[in-house]
Amino acid sequence: MFSTFAEQIINGIVTGSVYAIVAVGMTMIFGVLRAINFAHGEYYMLGTFGAWFAIDYFELSYEASIIVGVLATIVIAYVIGRLVMQRMVGAPAEAGVLATLGIALILQNTVILIFGGGYKFFSGGYIEPVSVLGFTLAQQRILILVVCALVFIGLELMVTYSRMGKSMRAVSQNIECCEVVGIDVSQVVLRTFVLGAALAALSGVLTAPVNVNVYGGMGELITFKTLPIIIMGGLGNVRGTFFAAMLLGIAESLVATYIGLQFRDTVGFATLILTLMWRPYGLFSTEARF
C-alpha cells in the first residue's frame, strides 16, 4: 500500500509539473493585464498540433517538433498580442474576459476546420520505461519534471535580475507609475503574453506523448484546470502557482486511485470553491507577485 501511495505521489508531481508550466504563463499575464486569459489553453493545444504536424507531415524528429510547435505558437501569439492583448491595457476586466473567450473560440474552431475534429495519434516522445529509486517511470515523465524545474529556475532568475523581469514586476505593481517613468507598458504586456503562450505550448508538446491523442478541444480542459491553480496560488504569484499546481496534481492522482477516476476532474473545481470560501485571496500571499 505504501508503494502504491508513493507511486501516486510521484504521478501527481508529474501532473502538477505539467499544470505548473501552463499556469505560470497565465498568472504572469494576469499580473501585467489584471485579466484572466481564457484562451490560454488554446496555446497548449496549438503547440501540440504544431509538433504533431511536424512529425506526421514532415517526418521531423520529436526534438525538432518541439521547436516547431513552440515557434509556431509564438508567431500566432505575437499576432494576437499586437492585435488584441495590447489594446487591453487599462481596459475593464470584462473586456479582457470577452476578448480572450472570443480568441479561444476562433483558435479552437480554426484548428478543427483545418485538421478535423477527430483524435490524432501523437507518435513522438520517449515512452521507454526506466527505474528510478525502485519506481518505474517513462522517460517522458522524467523529462517533464526536469523541464519544469528548469523553467521555474529560469523564471526566478529572469524576474529577479533581467530588465524584462524588472519591468514585468513594475507593471504588475502599478501601471500608471510605469507610464510616468517611461516604461513601455504595451511592450511589456506583449512580451509577457508571448512568453506565457510559449510556456503553454512547451507544456503541450511535452505532454503529448503521455496523452497519446491530440484533438482540437483539448485546450478547454487545460484552461479550466489552470484557473483553480492561479486562484489558489494567489493571482499573479509565480511561486504560489508552482505549489498550487503540485497540490492539485497530487490531489487528482490520489482521488483517481482511491476514490475513482471519474472524480478526478472535479478536484480542481472543488478546491476552487473551498479556496474562494475560506481563502479568497489564495493560499499564498498576493503581495508576493512575481
Side-chain angles (χ1 to χ4, degrees):
M1 291 184 63
F2 175 77
S3 177
T4 301
F5 179 79
E7 184 176 350
Q8 295 311 312
I9 294 294
I10 294 174
N11 289 335
I13 292 173
V14 174
T15 303
S17 298
V18 174
Y19 294 162
I21 298 174
V22 180
V24 72
M26 182 184 280
T27 202
M28 287 192 303
I29 293 169
F30 178 88
V32 297
L33 267 180
R34 307 293 194 278
I36 294 176
N37 180 17
F38 283 96
H40 199 66
E42 310 314 316
Y43 303 108
Y44 173 95
M45 177 268 295
L46 288 174
T48 306
F49 262 89
W52 167 79
F53 187 81
I55 292 174
D56 272 36
Y57 285 83
F58 295 103
E59 299 182 352
L60 298 180
S61 65
Y62 175 63
E63 295 82 0
S65 75
I66 295 176
I67 299 174
V68 171
V70 174
L71 287 179
T73 305
I74 287 175
V75 172
I76 295 171
Y78 180 81
V79 173
I80 294 173
R82 289 295 301 268
L83 294 177
V84 181
M85 302 309 293
Q86 284 187 321
R87 301 175 188 271
M88 294 296 104
V89 177
E94 295 83 357
V97 170
L98 293 175
T100 54
L101 282 174
I103 292 170
L105 291 173
I106 292 171
L107 292 177
Q108 181 182 141
N109 286 281
T110 300
V111 169
I112 292 174
L113 180 65
I114 296 174
F115 299 107
Y119 289 80
K120 280 79 177 171
F121 175 73
F122 193 92
S123 57
Y126 311 106
I127 58 175
E128 295 80 8
V130 294
S131 181
V132 180
L133 300 176
F135 298 98
T136 301
L137 288 173
Q139 293 179 0
Q140 191 69 30
R141 293 180 179 271
I142 297 174
L143 177 62
I144 291 171
L145 291 173
V146 172
V147 171
C148 179
L150 293 176
V151 164
F152 275 86
I153 291 172
L155 286 175
E156 184 70 21
L157 294 174
M158 183 198 72
V159 300
T160 303
Y161 299 108
S162 72
R163 183 181 181 85
M164 176 181 173
K166 293 176 182 178
S167 299
M168 289 165 57
R169 282 189 291 157
V171 172
S172 72
Q173 293 170 12
N174 195 311
I175 292 178
E176 291 77 12
C177 287
C178 290
E179 292 175 338
V180 169
V181 299
I183 294 177
D184 191 339
V185 174
S186 62
Q187 281 299 314
V188 174
V189 168
L190 178 62
R191 292 170 184 172
T192 306
F193 176 73
V194 172
L195 175 60
L199 290 175
L202 176 62
S203 179
V205 177
L206 292 175
T207 315
V210 178
N211 293 334
V212 181
N213 293 317
V214 298
Y215 59 99
M218 64 190 300
E220 286 183 357
L221 182 60
I222 291 297
T223 298
F224 290 118
K225 286 291 183 70
T226 52
L227 184 58
I229 291 172
I230 66 172
I231 292 176
M232 285 191 294
L235 289 169
N237 188 340
V238 170
R239 298 173 190 172
T241 297
F242 174 80
F243 290 112
M246 292 301 166
L247 288 174
L248 180 60
I250 293 172
E252 284 189 349
S253 182
L254 294 176
V255 167
T257 301
Y258 295 107
I259 299 179
L261 185 61
Q262 67 271 26
F263 298 105
R264 175 178 178 174
D265 291 336
T266 66
V267 175
F269 297 102
T271 53
L272 174 59
I273 293 171
L274 293 174
T275 301
L276 292 175
M277 288 174 60
W278 284 294
R279 296 277 295 185
Y281 294 104
L283 302 179
F284 303 89
S285 172
T286 55
E287 295 178 358
R289 285 184 175 172
F290 292 100

